[in-house]
Every structure is written in structure tokens, then in C-alpha cells.
Amino acid sequence: MSILVVGSVGLDSVQTPAGSRVRTLGGACTYFATAASLYDRVHIVAVVGSDFPQEHLDFLRGRNIDLRGLQIVEGKTFFWAGRYSEDLDICETLETQLNVFADFHPVVPEDLRAAEYVFLANIDPELQIEVLQQMRAPKLTALDSMNYWIASKREALTRALGMVDVVLLNQKEVKQFAGESNLLAAARRILELGPRALVVKKGEHGAMLFTRGKELELGLFLAPAYPVEPVVDPTGAGDTFAAGFMGYLARDGRLSLEALRRAVIHGTVVASFTVQDFSVDRLRTLTLTEIQERYDALRYLTYFESLSPAESQVFGEPLGA
Amino acid sequence: MSILVVGSVGLDSVQTPAGSRVRTLGGACTYFATAASLYDRVHIVAVVGSDFPQEHLDFLRGRNIDLRGLQIVEGKTFFWAGRYSEDLDICETLETQLNVFADFHPVVPEDLRAAEYVFLANIDPELQIEVLQQMRAPKLTALDSMNYWIASKREALTRALGMVDVVLLNQKEVKQFAGESNLLAAARRILELGPRALVVKKGEHGAMLFTRGKELELGLFLAPAYPVEPVVDPTGAGDTFAAGFMGYLARDGRLSLEALRRAVIHGTVVASFTVQDFSVDRLRTLTLTEIQERYDALRYLTYFESLSPAESQVFGEPLGA
């Protein structure tokens, strides 16, 4: 049954120090599905308008992506325009047109309600909950969100956080949601709401995986970013991080601590490719072999001692529930 | 012959969200020597005024630190006052009184000129060069610097960078010196000036070790920070990072890539203790056993696969020259 994703499919106009693109293929669901389809079959639940270019539909369909859950309705497709700062760490939203997304309610096709891996990309948490309520007994659910929903739909987001297994947020969002400037304390507060794991995305500074382990070493994993130069366009880095993360877990089938750690590295690697070109362009040609190469490289880049047999054991620990 | 350090010994008034301290023991040389003395004997080359409290002299002398190179001259001791922002990532200097430091010229006592490990803490690069010129044939030299010298003494700093084996700078300083916003490109530019290794300190985001390897994996090591809460006072984190780094290398005796990587982890760990209290207070009771505990924890916190024999080999590679 593989991976089901709900989120935005849209058109983006983006400006970065490396250049700009006008009305290019974008949207969190698009980025996620394009990357995750490298690992497994992906089912999209989303909406586009009647103006959505046929070439984009053809592209997605050509990539092991099932579009039966993609509603195509009369009207204009979701549009976002943004501009990144010189050092890429600030993104200013210039325009957001919800268009057909404004009245969207996700409908999961009957035969997809048994999907095992469910990713709720960054959309209104009420819609995320609608999707969860349609699913039968998913093996792993995960969600992403953003500052906008933390501020405007806090109650719904809090409920959604309590309904999923894994939460993926960036560092600022974790602190904002928890109202706590220390990241460790903030992460703990989110785990207390119910999820079994929290992935804190830190962009060029890597990612942290928090699980409910008894000891710090068992409950925390620190992953660096894979260093790339130049970064062309950071858009979609978070969505494709989630894709590498969920894609690896779906393909691997296990949910051990070790699998989660490796999934974080897969997320790290996939995101590192995404930012090397505009839109989903780098992902069009990306292969699992290239992903494996950077995965292996990250071992060389981070290890400073070989593991003892006792340490290797730790990776076998079950995910704290 | 152990470790020789030149730098500031002074008094600090510091304000952080956790509290404040007035005219407490400070200075880069002080932080470095206090921490490095856990690993090996440390020789200080510095200056204080006649007002420098006897209790501080007694403290340093009691810690395997040799003060024969510490000039005590008529006048007032170097004084710095600073205030950290709420999330600790900005430090505003409120006051700097050079006092007796204004006319300081370092004199390395004759029998210390054969010291094997030399650390040039953050001072005027012309003084750093004066020290290097007094040394006979050190096994490893390293320097730290800051934005002030990059802007005001660029030429002297460039010369100093070309004379040492290892450069330790923070991320902003590396980009500022290189005039380059991409960190990889900036790091390469500094290595081209002569040093064999560059350690980029990123505070809560860890550290990167660049060496002149042929491949990325051989030329780069990524270390996370050891996560602590709460951070009480970041002052001295960089100086004690250098102390853990140099201290480990001096104690270990090797200069392999593997030793350098482990030294970065020691730096990471020592800095993580430093920031948990004001001034050098946490270092007063810190032991090598506690350092080893966090060192071991960092393996659990960062590993995601056990090493293959082939990967283990890589750590044996000599430091690229």
C-alpha cells in the first residue's frame, strides 16, 4: 500500500541569489511525492485548478505516483511567491494565493485508506486531522507544519500532534510552539503531547531526532547536514527531508531506533540534493544510488571512533512508546 | 614540554539571561589554560596588572599551570564587559579596557621555547607572530582570532594564518575573512594560505574540521555540539574548545586525521561543560572522567551504522600536508 501524502500541489515563483523561476512546479505535496517515489509508490491527496499544466501531471504520473486522490477542480491552482536573502537563511513570502486550495477537503480514495505510511505535509491541521480520520490502521503517520498554523490554529495543531507517530518541524517552529527557547526543553514538551518521535530540522545545521528514551543518548540522535555548494534554492528542503525519511522507513519496513536514525540520514541526503537546483529539477534525475553514495559519505564525515559491539547493540533498541 | 598558550588574562563583567557576574576571572588565555591543564601541563604567556587578585593567581598555580611567562606589571588588568541576548546568540561588548595589555609584548621564557604544542589565543596577530618567532620547532601550532582583527589587522593575520598548523575560527569569522558566504568555499580559501587544518566553530550547531584531503570525505569532519540545558554563560566556549582540542592532541601525541577528529570531539565536550556555569567555575571541578563520559555519549548520539573495516582504515590516513 506504500505511502500516502496530503498537502499542496501548486505553482511557485521564487527568487534566490542564484537566480529566479516563474510559476514553476511547487507545493509541499509535490516535493514530497517526487522524492518519496524514488523509494516506493506514492499516493497523492491534493487539489489543483483547471489551469494546472498537463506537463506537470504527466511528470508526476511518470514517477510511480498515483494521482487518483488529486482533485482537479474549476479555478486557479495554489500559487506561492517568495524571495530568499543573500545568505539564504530568510525567506520572505511575497504572495500566497490559496485559489482552489481555499475550499479543499481531502478525500482519500476508498482503497487507499489502508495505506501504511501517511505523511501530512504542511497544510491546515484541521485538514490533516480529516485525513487521519479517513485512514484505517496506518503503520506510521507523520506531519509537518509551520509558524502560520502554530499561531492561527494552535488548538487543532495540538490535537493533530497527539494523533501522529512522528512530528517534523524546524527549530524555530519547535521553540515557537513550545514557547521555550531551549531546544531540549521545547522538544520534550512536544513529545509529551503524544508523538513517539520528533525530528527537528535545522537546515544547514542538520537535524535532531528526539524519541522518548530514558537516557539522553538513547532518546536523541544528532545528524549534520550534508554540505553542498552552492545552494541554489532551499525551497522544498523540508518536504523532501520528510520524503527521504518516510521513503526509507516504508522501503525498510522496520521502525526500530536504528531505522529511524537511518531515515533521518536519508532525509538529510535527499534534502541536500533538492537544494542544488530550482523546483524539483534535481529530483527529476536523482537515483537511489546517488542517495546511497551521500549516505555512505556521511559515515566518513561524522565518525570518529569505530563502534564497539556493545554500542552496536544500542541500535537494536525498540522505539520508546 | 607540554602546552604553551599566549593570550589575555583578565577580569570580566558578564550578563546573561541566567544572571550576571562582576569582575570575575576571565580572558581567553585563562579559559584555555584552566581547561587544557586537565590534559597536560600548561605554560601561560600573558600580562596582568598589579590589581589582579591573588586568589586567581593561586587558583591557576594550583592547576598544573606554570606562570613564569605571566608578567605582572604596575597598572590595571585587562577588563571586558559584555551582555548576551535572550537566546544567547548575540553578545554585545559593553566595555573593553586594554589597560596593561595595551603595551604587552609576549616574552617566552628561554626554557619554554622548545614547547611542542603552542596555542595563540585571540590577540593582536602581530603578537601571535612574535610568539611564533620565539619558538624553536613546535610540533603543533594553532591560533584563534576574531572579527576585530580580521577588519583591522588583515595583513598581519594573513601572515599568522600562514605560519600555523591549525586555525580555529567561528563560522562568521571564516566567511568574513574569506569574503565568501558559502562556508566550504570560504574554508578552502583559508586552507590555501598555509594551515593544514581549519576548525570552524558553530556554537550550538557544532564544529567542522577541514583538512586538505583529496576527497570531501577525507578532508571534512562534521561534529555536532553536545546538547546542554540550560546554557548559563557562553563566554569562553571557543577558548575551551581549543583547550580540549590541543589538550587531547598533546596528551595523545599523534597528529593523524583520526586524532584530529577525536580532538574536535574533546573540544566540543569541554566547551559544553564551560557554558554550564559562569566564568571558569564549571572547569574548577571538571574531571577527565566526566569528559570521557560525554565523549562516549557523543558516539551514541551520532552513529547510525557501525563502521566497516574499510571505513576504519580511513581514520588511519595521515594528515594531508
Side-chain angles (χ1 to χ4, degrees), chain B residues 6 106 108 113 118-120 125-138 140-143 159-165:
Chain B
V6 60
V108 181
R113 299 186 177 192
V118 178
F119 182 63
L120 310 168
E126 292 181 14
L127 300 188
Q128 294 179 320
I129 291 171
E130 285 181 24
V131 169
L132 287 176
Q133 287 169 338
Q134 294 174 58
M135 303 310 295
R136 296 229 173 79
L140 189 77
T141 55
L143 75 72
R159 265 190 298 138
L161 292 175
M163 294 169 75
V164 294
D165 300 308

CSV table of all heavy atoms in Angstrom, one decimal, chain B residues 6 106 108 113 118-120 125-138 140-143 159-165:
chain,number,residue,atom,x,y,z
B,6,VAL,N,49.5,31.8,24.7
B,6,VAL,CA,49.6,33.2,24.8
B,6,VAL,C,48.2,33.8,24.6
B,6,VAL,O,47.5,33.3,23.7
B,6,VAL,CB,50.6,33.8,23.8
B,6,VAL,CG1,50.2,33.6,22.4
B,6,VAL,CG2,50.7,35.3,24.1
B,106,PRO,N,54.7,39.7,24.3
B,106,PRO,CA,54.9,38.4,24.9
B,106,PRO,C,56.4,38.0,24.9
B,106,PRO,O,57.1,38.2,23.9
B,106,PRO,CB,54.1,37.5,24.0
B,106,PRO,CG,54.0,38.2,22.7
B,106,PRO,CD,54.0,39.7,23.0
B,108,VAL,N,58.6,34.7,25.8
B,108,VAL,CA,58.6,33.3,26.1
B,108,VAL,C,59.9,33.0,26.9
B,108,VAL,O,61.0,33.1,26.3
B,108,VAL,CB,58.5,32.4,24.9
B,108,VAL,CG1,58.4,30.9,25.3
B,108,VAL,CG2,57.3,32.8,24.0
B,113,ARG,N,60.8,27.8,25.1
B,113,ARG,CA,60.8,28.0,23.6
B,113,ARG,C,60.8,26.6,22.9
B,113,ARG,O,60.7,26.6,21.7
B,113,ARG,CB,62.0,28.9,23.2
B,113,ARG,CG,61.9,30.2,23.9
B,113,ARG,CD,62.9,31.3,23.5
B,113,ARG,NE,62.5,32.5,24.2
B,113,ARG,CZ,63.0,33.7,23.9
B,113,ARG,NH1,63.9,33.8,22.9
B,113,ARG,NH2,62.6,34.8,24.6
B,118,VAL,N,51.7,24.8,20.8
B,118,VAL,CA,51.6,26.2,21.0
B,118,VAL,C,50.2,26.7,20.6
B,118,VAL,O,49.8,26.5,19.5
B,118,VAL,CB,52.6,26.9,20.2
B,118,VAL,CG1,52.5,28.4,20.4
B,118,VAL,CG2,54.0,26.5,20.6
B,119,PHE,N,49.5,27.3,21.5
B,119,PHE,CA,48.2,27.9,21.2
B,119,PHE,C,48.2,29.4,21.3
B,119,PHE,O,48.5,29.9,22.4
B,119,PHE,CB,47.0,27.3,22.0
B,119,PHE,CG,45.7,27.9,21.7
B,119,PHE,CD1,45.2,27.6,20.4
B,119,PHE,CD2,45.0,28.7,22.5
B,119,PHE,CE1,43.9,28.2,20.0
B,119,PHE,CE2,43.7,29.2,22.1
B,119,PHE,CZ,43.2,29.0,20.9
B,120,LEU,N,47.9,30.1,20.2
B,120,LEU,CA,47.9,31.5,20.2
B,120,LEU,C,46.4,31.9,20.3
B,120,LEU,O,45.6,31.9,19.3
B,120,LEU,CB,48.4,32.0,18.8
B,120,LEU,CG,49.8,31.4,18.4
B,120,LEU,CD1,50.2,31.7,17.0
B,120,LEU,CD2,50.9,31.9,19.4
B,125,PRO,N,47.2,39.8,16.0
B,125,PRO,CA,48.0,38.8,15.2
B,125,PRO,C,49.5,39.2,15.2
B,125,PRO,O,50.4,38.3,15.1
B,125,PRO,CB,47.4,38.9,13.8
B,125,PRO,CG,46.6,40.1,13.8
B,125,PRO,CD,46.1,40.3,15.2
B,126,GLU,N,49.9,40.4,15.4
B,126,GLU,CA,51.3,40.8,15.4
B,126,GLU,C,52.0,40.2,16.7
B,126,GLU,O,53.1,39.7,16.6
B,126,GLU,CB,51.5,42.3,15.4
B,126,GLU,CG,51.1,42.9,14.1
B,126,GLU,CD,51.3,44.4,13.9
B,126,GLU,OE1,52.0,45.0,14.8
B,126,GLU,OE2,50.7,45.0,13.0
B,127,LEU,N,51.2,40.1,17.8
B,127,LEU,CA,51.7,39.5,19.0
B,127,LEU,C,51.8,37.9,18.8
B,127,LEU,O,52.7,37.3,19.3
B,127,LEU,CB,50.9,39.8,20.2
B,127,LEU,CG,50.7,41.3,20.6
B,127,LEU,CD1,50.0,41.4,21.9
B,127,LEU,CD2,52.1,42.0,20.6
B,128,GLN,N,50.8,37.4,18.1
B,128,GLN,CA,50.8,36.0,17.8
B,128,GLN,C,52.1,35.6,17.0
B,128,GLN,O,52.8,34.6,17.3
B,128,GLN,CB,49.6,35.6,17.0
B,128,GLN,CG,48.3,35.7,17.8
B,128,GLN,CD,47.0,35.4,17.0
B,128,GLN,OE1,46.9,35.7,15.9
B,128,GLN,NE2,46.1,34.7,17.7
B,129,ILE,N,52.5,36.5,16.1
B,129,ILE,CA,53.7,36.2,15.3
B,129,ILE,C,54.9,36.3,16.1
B,129,ILE,O,55.9,35.5,16.0
B,129,ILE,CB,53.7,37.2,14.1
B,129,ILE,CG1,52.6,36.8,13.1
B,129,ILE,CG2,55.1,37.1,13.4
B,129,ILE,CD1,52.4,37.8,11.9
B,130,GLU,N,54.9,37.3,17.0
B,130,GLU,CA,56.1,37.5,17.9
B,130,GLU,C,56.3,36.2,18.7
B,130,GLU,O,57.5,35.8,18.9
B,130,GLU,CB,55.8,38.7,18.9
B,130,GLU,CG,56.0,40.0,18.3
B,130,GLU,CD,55.8,41.2,19.3
B,130,GLU,OE1,55.9,40.9,20.5
B,130,GLU,OE2,55.4,42.3,18.8
B,131,VAL,N,55.3,35.6,19.2
B,131,VAL,CA,55.4,34.3,19.9
B,131,VAL,C,56.0,33.2,19.0
B,131,VAL,O,56.9,32.5,19.4
B,131,VAL,CB,54.1,33.9,20.6
B,131,VAL,CG1,54.2,32.5,21.1
B,131,VAL,CG2,53.7,34.9,21.6
B,132,LEU,N,55.4,33.1,17.8
B,132,LEU,CA,55.8,32.0,16.9
B,132,LEU,C,57.3,32.2,16.6
B,132,LEU,O,58.1,31.2,16.5
B,132,LEU,CB,55.1,32.1,15.6
B,132,LEU,CG,53.6,31.6,15.7
B,132,LEU,CD1,52.9,31.8,14.3
B,132,LEU,CD2,53.5,30.1,16.1
B,133,GLN,N,57.8,33.4,16.5
B,133,GLN,CA,59.2,33.7,16.2
B,133,GLN,C,60.1,33.3,17.3
B,133,GLN,O,61.3,33.1,17.1
B,133,GLN,CB,59.4,35.1,15.7
B,133,GLN,CG,58.8,35.4,14.3
B,133,GLN,CD,58.7,36.9,14.0
B,133,GLN,OE1,58.7,37.7,14.9
B,133,GLN,NE2,58.6,37.2,12.7
B,134,GLN,N,59.6,33.3,18.5
B,134,GLN,CA,60.4,32.9,19.7
B,134,GLN,C,60.5,31.4,19.9
B,134,GLN,O,61.3,30.9,20.6
B,134,GLN,CB,59.9,33.5,20.9
B,134,GLN,CG,60.0,35.1,20.9
B,134,GLN,CD,59.3,35.7,22.1
B,134,GLN,OE1,59.7,35.4,23.3
B,134,GLN,NE2,58.3,36.6,21.9
B,135,MET,N,59.6,30.6,19.2
B,135,MET,CA,59.5,29.2,19.4
B,135,MET,C,60.6,28.5,18.5
B,135,MET,O,60.9,28.9,17.4
B,135,MET,CB,58.1,28.6,19.1
B,135,MET,CG,57.0,29.3,19.9
B,135,MET,SD,57.3,29.3,21.7
B,135,MET,CE,57.3,27.6,22.1
B,136,ARG,N,61.1,27.3,19.0
B,136,ARG,CA,62.1,26.6,18.2
B,136,ARG,C,61.5,25.8,17.1
B,136,ARG,O,61.6,26.1,16.0
B,136,ARG,CB,63.0,25.8,19.2
B,136,ARG,CG,63.7,26.6,20.2
B,136,ARG,CD,65.2,26.3,20.3
B,136,ARG,NE,65.7,27.4,21.2
B,136,ARG,CZ,65.6,27.3,22.5
B,136,ARG,NH1,65.1,26.3,23.2
B,136,ARG,NH2,66.1,28.3,23.2
B,137,ALA,N,60.9,24.6,17.5
B,137,ALA,CA,60.4,23.7,16.5
B,137,ALA,C,59.2,23.1,17.0
B,137,ALA,O,59.2,21.9,17.3
B,137,ALA,CB,61.4,22.7,16.1
B,138,PRO,N,58.1,23.8,17.2
B,138,PRO,CA,56.9,23.3,17.8
B,138,PRO,C,56.3,22.1,16.9
B,138,PRO,O,56.4,22.2,15.7
B,138,PRO,CB,55.9,24.4,17.9
B,138,PRO,CG,56.4,25.5,17.0
B,138,PRO,CD,57.9,25.3,16.9
B,140,LEU,N,53.1,21.3,17.0
B,140,LEU,CA,51.8,21.7,16.5
B,140,LEU,C,51.5,23.2,17.0
B,140,LEU,O,51.5,23.4,18.2
B,140,LEU,CB,50.6,20.8,17.0
B,140,LEU,CG,49.3,21.1,16.3
B,140,LEU,CD1,49.2,20.5,14.9
B,140,LEU,CD2,48.1,20.5,17.2
B,141,THR,N,51.2,24.0,16.1
B,141,THR,CA,50.8,25.4,16.4
B,141,THR,C,49.4,25.7,16.0
B,141,THR,O,48.9,25.2,14.9
B,141,THR,CB,51.7,26.4,15.8
B,141,THR,OG1,51.7,26.2,14.4
B,141,THR,CG2,53.1,26.3,16.3
B,142,ALA,N,48.6,26.4,16.8
B,142,ALA,CA,47.2,26.7,16.4
B,142,ALA,C,46.9,28.1,16.8
B,142,ALA,O,47.5,28.6,17.8
B,142,ALA,CB,46.3,25.7,17.1
B,143,LEU,N,46.0,28.8,16.1
B,143,LEU,CA,45.6,30.1,16.5
B,143,LEU,C,44.1,30.3,16.4
B,143,LEU,O,43.4,29.7,15.6
B,143,LEU,CB,46.3,31.2,15.7
B,143,LEU,CG,46.0,31.6,14.3
B,143,LEU,CD1,44.7,32.3,14.2
B,143,LEU,CD2,47.1,32.5,13.8
B,159,ARG,N,49.4,36.7,7.5
B,159,ARG,CA,50.7,36.2,7.7
B,159,ARG,C,50.7,35.1,8.8
B,159,ARG,O,51.3,34.0,8.7
B,159,ARG,CB,51.7,37.3,8.1
B,159,ARG,CG,52.5,37.8,6.9
B,159,ARG,CD,53.6,38.7,7.4
B,159,ARG,NE,53.1,39.8,8.1
B,159,ARG,CZ,53.6,40.3,9.2
B,159,ARG,NH1,54.7,39.8,9.8
B,159,ARG,NH2,53.1,41.4,9.8
B,160,ALA,N,50.0,35.4,9.9
B,160,ALA,CA,49.9,34.5,11.0
B,160,ALA,C,49.2,33.2,10.6
B,160,ALA,O,49.7,32.1,11.0
B,160,ALA,CB,49.2,35.1,12.2
B,161,LEU,N,48.2,33.3,9.8
B,161,LEU,CA,47.5,32.1,9.3
B,161,LEU,C,48.4,31.2,8.5
B,161,LEU,O,48.3,30.0,8.6
B,161,LEU,CB,46.3,32.5,8.5
B,161,LEU,CG,45.1,33.2,9.1
B,161,LEU,CD1,44.1,33.6,8.1
B,161,LEU,CD2,44.5,32.3,10.2
B,162,GLY,N,49.3,31.8,7.8
B,162,GLY,CA,50.3,31.0,7.0
B,162,GLY,C,51.4,30.4,7.8
B,162,GLY,O,52.1,29.6,7.3
B,163,MET,N,51.5,30.8,9.1
B,163,MET,CA,52.6,30.3,9.9
B,163,MET,C,52.2,29.1,10.9
B,163,MET,O,53.0,28.5,11.5
B,163,MET,CB,53.2,31.4,10.8
B,163,MET,CG,53.8,32.5,9.9
B,163,MET,SD,54.2,34.0,10.9
B,163,MET,CE,55.7,33.4,11.8
B,164,VAL,N,50.8,28.9,11.0
B,164,VAL,CA,50.4,27.9,12.0
B,164,VAL,C,49.9,26.6,11.3
B,164,VAL,O,49.6,26.6,10.1
B,164,VAL,CB,49.3,28.4,12.9
B,164,VAL,CG1,49.8,29.6,13.8
B,164,VAL,CG2,48.1,28.9,12.1
B,165,ASP,N,49.8,25.6,12.1
B,165,ASP,CA,49.3,24.3,11.5
B,165,ASP,C,47.8,24.2,11.5
B,165,ASP,O,47.1,23.7,10.6
B,165,ASP,CB,49.8,23.1,12.4
B,165,ASP,CG,51.3,23.1,12.4
B,165,ASP,OD1,51.9,23.1,11.3
B,165,ASP,OD2,51.9,23.0,13.5
